[in-house]
Amino acid sequence: MTRNFKAELVGCFGQPVAENPTGAMQEAAFAALGLNWRYLTIEVPPSGLAAAIRAVRAFGMRGINLTIPHKVEVMRYLDEVSSDAQVIGAVNTVRVDNEGRLIGENTDGKGFLRGIRQDAGMDPKGKRAVVLGAGGASRAVVTELLLAGVADLLVVNRAIERGESMTRDLAAKTKLPVRFEPWRGTFAVSPETDILVNATSIGLFPDVSAVPPVDLSRTRPDLLVCDAVFNPPETEFLACARQAGLRTLDGLSMLVYQGVIGFQLWTGQNPPEDVMKQALREALGV
Ligand code: NDP
């Protein structure tokens, strides 16, 4: 019998990257399906990105994830960028097609949407959403919420210029309405809001006691409060929302589902989602 000792390779390029837990969930899914695939977590400085992408081609890798600081810069080295990754202006996942071409995708916002639908049981179509923050995570979440047909989308950000330019750009690219409001003092969430998303880095480890300054006293009882921050998974923000009797969705959900979508893009197979969730929880020690 002919044996095949050659593993298929995927991985993640970033800097810093040592604390990125994605490899744990992808490797758990490969093992569960008996696939001889490896996920390599590789520290790549900005000056090494071009060579790293040439290595993806030279090694015949099947795909790659990009994290800070490469999500925007990588686009110039790819053969094609999907339409929604172009709108978002960033790529977090590269897949290699049958001709060996590198295609850029963005699965962050799609992972978030899948969490809303699958874990929170909500269809965002026709809903009114507020997204806190205007960085990379916000761009991905706002784009996918707009494309999913939300009735109203308000972005709230501390830096006015950043928030205004993001909403102007996304409105022009999607031809869909998105509003902006500067974040001054405490932001009062209106009773009309159905979905509230913290897409800032407030509450991220090690600053775990920080909470976005929002007033939740006038919200509707079925408001869904979401956090993009996944370390820790139970942020102080989500704990406050739960204490106020509100429904919550943690950042692990977004992280797992962006990984599930990446797995599908790379292997063409459906991974065991519960195995991936459990591996991620173990990797994060929760
Ligand atoms: P960026 O650095 O691009 O953006 C950070 C955002 O947070 C900006 O809007 C910034 O506002 C805001 N912010 C930071 N500190 C404060 C503060 N003290 N008060 C008000 N606003 C503040 O980060 P990303 O968008 O890449 O990431 C944001 C978070 O999302 C991180 O915690 C990251 O780990 C998480 N994330 C989670 C993913 C998942 O799968 N769960 C995927 C991707 C990211 P300003 O413009 O005013 O500076």
Side-chain angles (χ1 to χ4, degrees):
M1 188 178 82
T2 309
R3 302 281 304 271
N4 178 8
F5 295 103
K6 186 185 90 63
E8 301 299 330
L9 300 179
V10 290
C12 177
F13 296 160
Q15 186 183 51
V17 82
E19 290 183 8
N20 190 308
T22 302
M25 68 173 168
Q26 296 292 2
E27 293 251 328
F30 296 147
L33 291 187
L35 296 176
N36 188 16
W37 285 54
R38 299 283 179 281
Y39 188 101
L40 309 172
T41 301
I42 305 174
E43 182 103 1
V44 176
S47 62
L49 183 62
I53 296 298
R54 283 200 298 277
V56 170
R57 299 180 194 271
F59 292 170
M61 292 179 74
R62 304 293 291 271
I64 203 85
N65 284 136
L66 286 308
T67 185
I68 289 172
H70 302 312
K71 288 185 181 184
V72 176
E73 190 63 16
V74 71
M75 295 170 76
R76 64 161 75 193
Y77 303 117
L78 305 178
D79 300 308
E80 194 181 319
V81 174
S82 72
S83 55
D84 54 345
Q86 283 182 36
V87 172
I88 294 165
V91 160
N92 78 328
T93 303
V94 172
R95 67 182 169 88
V96 183
D97 75 5
N98 292 336
E99 282 96 52
R101 299 169 70 250
L102 270 50
I103 318 291
E105 308 271 357
N106 196 310
T107 64
D108 280 336
K110 290 189 175 69
F112 171 75
L113 270 194
R114 193 149 163 186
I116 289 247
R117 292 190 172 118
Q118 215 162 302
D119 291 352
M122 179 191 269
D123 180 359
K125 192 170 166 38
K127 298 289 191 296
R128 303 173 76 88
V130 172
V131 178
L132 307 171
S138 170
R139 275 193 82 100
V141 165
V142 168
T143 300
E144 298 297 344
L145 282 172
L146 286 172
L147 297 177
V150 288
D152 185 64
L153 212 163
L154 174 66
V155 172
V156 180
N157 196 55
R158 179 182 58 179
I160 296 175
E161 168 54 27
R162 195 179 191 187
E164 275 180 348
S165 72
M166 183 185 99
T167 47
R168 207 182 309 122
D169 183 50
L170 291 184
K173 285 177 173 165
T174 62
K175 311 271 184 270
L176 295 165
V178 47
R179 300 184 292 127
F180 172 69
E181 195 176 305
W183 198 345
R184 295 202 184 88
T186 299
F187 174 77
V189 181
S190 75
E192 287 77 40
T193 307
D194 300 293
I195 306 169
L196 173 67
V197 187
N198 174 37
T200 74
S201 44
I202 302 173
L204 180 65
F205 179 86
D207 205 2
V208 297
S209 60
V211 181
V214 295
D215 177 1
L216 296 175
S217 63
R218 289 177 53 243
T219 60
R220 59 195 304 140
D222 59 349
L223 172 72
L224 176 64
V225 181
C226 313
D227 208 328
V229 174
F230 62 82
N231 184 15
E234 167 81 350
T235 58
E236 199 56 34
F237 181 50
L238 291 187
C240 291
R242 225 189 316 275
Q243 274 157 26
L246 300 170
R247 296 186 296 156
T248 61
L249 183 67
D250 67 26
L252 277 189
S253 160
M254 177 173 171
L255 186 63
V256 167
Y257 290 124
Q258 63 80 27
V260 166
I261 297 166
F263 188 103
Q264 289 165 331
L265 289 171
W266 295 331
T267 67
Q269 298 192 38
N270 290 323
E273 294 175 5
D274 51 341
V275 169
M276 292 178 81
K277 278 183 194 170
Q278 184 55 29
L280 197 53
R281 289 195 167 277
E282 280 169 19
L284 290 169
V286 293

